[in-house]
Amino acid sequence: MKELTHLALIMDGNGRWAEKRGLTRSAGHLEGGKAAIKVIKGCLSHSIPYLTLYCFSKENWKRPKEEVDYLMGLFSSRIRAELPRARKEGIRILHLGSRDGLSDDVLSAIDEAIEATAECSKLTLQLAINYSGTDEIDRAVQRAIKAGVKVFDEKTLSLYLDNPEVPSPDFIARSSGEKRLSGFLLYQSNYAELGFYDRLWPDWDESMIETIVNDFNSRNRRFGGI
Ligand code: IPE
Ligand code: IPE
Ligand code: MG
């Protein structure tokens, strides 16, 4: 059995799930939030120590204001509502992405969660909200320059990423059948295994973690060796 230390998920297909049922896109996002809770449970029961969820990309600001507002409200309300359970289950919450452009409501929900769960150690959950991989690398370079770094070697940049203590993902999975990364973990995806699953995000549950763990175990990771 290989060690799946960090699983990163691109939660895609909420809109299509809703359209298929004649529902609003918001209804799809609401259901997607419920799926995220089930998936987190699956990670806990498989003792996966790091999980990253791609919740909102920098490109997602292009969507209609009504949808963006709904999503932002969902993030702050779900984070606040789930906080007691996160603490109880030992889930440490981190934010991945830019703070610029996020509302005070979302930022305060994120900050409260980070502070309240700082001592939790069972699962580290990175919420990628307002994230793009190129933006994270840009900000890492800015931070490094500000810190006086003059010489960059292979490791330098990784020290200035948003959460440098989080190891790179071993497996990146995407729901809804799309086969692209959409800017997710551009730097950290270096040697990640990739998995693309047709199931739309709101239909995901604990059983998908079982599937992913089995898929991961069937991969032959060579890292350039033989
Ligand atoms: C993923 O579902 C949620 C976000 C990107 C915020 P989508 O909203 O992209 O769903 P589709 O791709 O339109 O079905
Ligand atoms: C990627 O999904 C971003 C998130 C899941 C948050 P999108 O639906 O925004 O990606 P594209 O536009 O299909 O690449
Ligand atoms: Mg999509």
Side-chain angles (χ1 to χ4, degrees):
M1 286 276 277
K2 295 184 195 71
E3 202 67 41
L4 178 43
T5 302
H6 182 178
L7 172 64
L9 299 176
I10 303 173
M11 308 186 289
D12 197 15
N14 294 351
R16 277 163 283 166
W17 183 93
E19 272 157 38
K20 274 196 351 197
R21 289 163 178 76
L23 302 170
T24 61
R25 293 182 59 84
S26 297
H29 295 314
L30 182 66
E31 211 55 34
K34 294 179 194 164
I37 302 289
K38 294 178 197 163
V39 161
I40 292 168
K41 263 197 201 138
C43 289
L44 283 168
S45 50
H46 281 86
S47 303
I48 295 170
Y50 292 88
L51 171 68
T52 300
L53 297 177
Y54 204 1
C55 305
F56 191 89
S57 73
K58 276 188 86 82
E59 288 71 29
N60 289 146
W61 294 108
K62 289 179 200 152
R63 296 189 179 198
K65 185 178 181 305
E66 191 192 344
E67 180 171 347
V68 170
D69 287 350
Y70 183 82
L71 281 165
M72 292 298 155
L74 191 63
F75 299 148
S76 54
S77 61
R78 294 316 301 165
I79 291 170
R80 288 200 171 95
E82 295 298 331
L83 204 45
R85 188 144 53 135
R87 280 168 61 102
K88 200 167 137 243
E89 303 278 356
I91 301 172
R92 176 170 70 129
I93 295 171
L94 297 177
H95 176 233
L96 177 68
S98 175
R99 294 175 67 90
D100 285 355
L102 289 175
S103 68
D104 289 344
D105 180 46
V106 173
L107 288 174
S108 65
I110 290 171
D111 290 340
E112 280 160 33
I114 294 172
E115 206 191 311
T117 64
E119 303 301 323
C120 296
S121 59
K122 188 142 190 253
L123 170 72
T124 295
L125 171 63
Q126 288 196 111
L127 299 174
I129 301 176
N130 197 21
Y131 180 81
S132 109
T134 47
D135 178 65
E136 186 187 21
I137 292 170
D138 276 356
R139 287 183 291 104
V141 172
Q142 299 303 329
R143 281 188 205 116
I145 291 170
K146 221 173 152 186
V149 173
K150 297 208 167 50
V151 184
F152 282 82
D153 67 16
E154 233 199 301
K155 285 251 155 62
T156 312
L157 202 61
S158 67
L159 304 174
Y160 293 91
L161 294 170
D162 287 347
N163 298 313
E165 74 276 26
V166 174
S168 290
D170 309 290
F171 199 101
I172 300 179
R174 182 170 188 147
S175 57
S176 89
E178 306 292 356
K179 293 174 185 65
R180 56 178 168 269
L181 294 179
S182 302
F184 195 36
L185 301 172
L186 185 59
Y187 186 94
Q188 302 89 325
S189 58
N190 188 27
Y191 246 106
E193 298 294 326
L194 304 177
F196 299 98
Y197 301 91
D198 287 338
R199 195 185 288 202
L200 300 172
W201 179 256
D203 291 327
W204 279 46
D205 57 20
E206 293 92 328
S207 72
M208 284 304 294
I209 300 304
E210 181 84 37
T211 301
I212 286 172
V213 167
N214 290 336
D215 286 353
F216 179 70
N217 279 319
S218 73
R219 303 289 176 93
N220 187 357
R221 303 191 87 192
R222 285 185 288 273
F223 298 102
I226 53 170

